[in-house]
Amino acid sequence: GRSQSDRLGKAVAIFIILGDKVKFSFRSGDSHEPSALELAEVLGGSGHQNAAGGTISLDQFIEMMVK
């Protein structure tokens, strides 16, 4: 998470499909825009500035990926 974000110089995302739900997790560094928290909040998640996440339905995830 955070090591990949530091290496790439931007926030990174991890999505895990769990049946009909998808867990998402974002990691970012102090200077990255948007931050992990800002990205998570777009999907209804929460957390900390550099480590945030949440859960959405599989249907929402598929719709998001198709757009």
Side-chain angles (χ1 to χ4, degrees), residues 6-65:
D6 288 341
R7 186 175 67 77
L8 296 170
K10 57 184 83 177
V12 296
I14 300 167
F15 295 95
I16 302 170
I17 299 172
L18 303 167
D20 64 346
K21 302 284 183 194
V22 177
K23 181 178 176 182
F24 59 89
S25 179
F26 296 103
R27 297 294 184 268
S28 64
D30 292 333
S31 64
H32 298 160
E33 289 292 330
S35 70
L37 180 58
E38 291 168 328
L39 292 168
E41 287 176 337
V42 168
L43 298 176
S46 61
H48 301 277
Q49 189 69 21
N50 296 326
T55 304
I56 57 175
S57 72
L58 180 58
D59 289 339
Q60 287 174 298
F61 180 74
I62 292 169
E63 184 178 323
M64 182 177 65
M65 291 294 112

Side-chain angles (χ1 to χ4, degrees), residues 3 19 34 66:
S3 63
V66 172

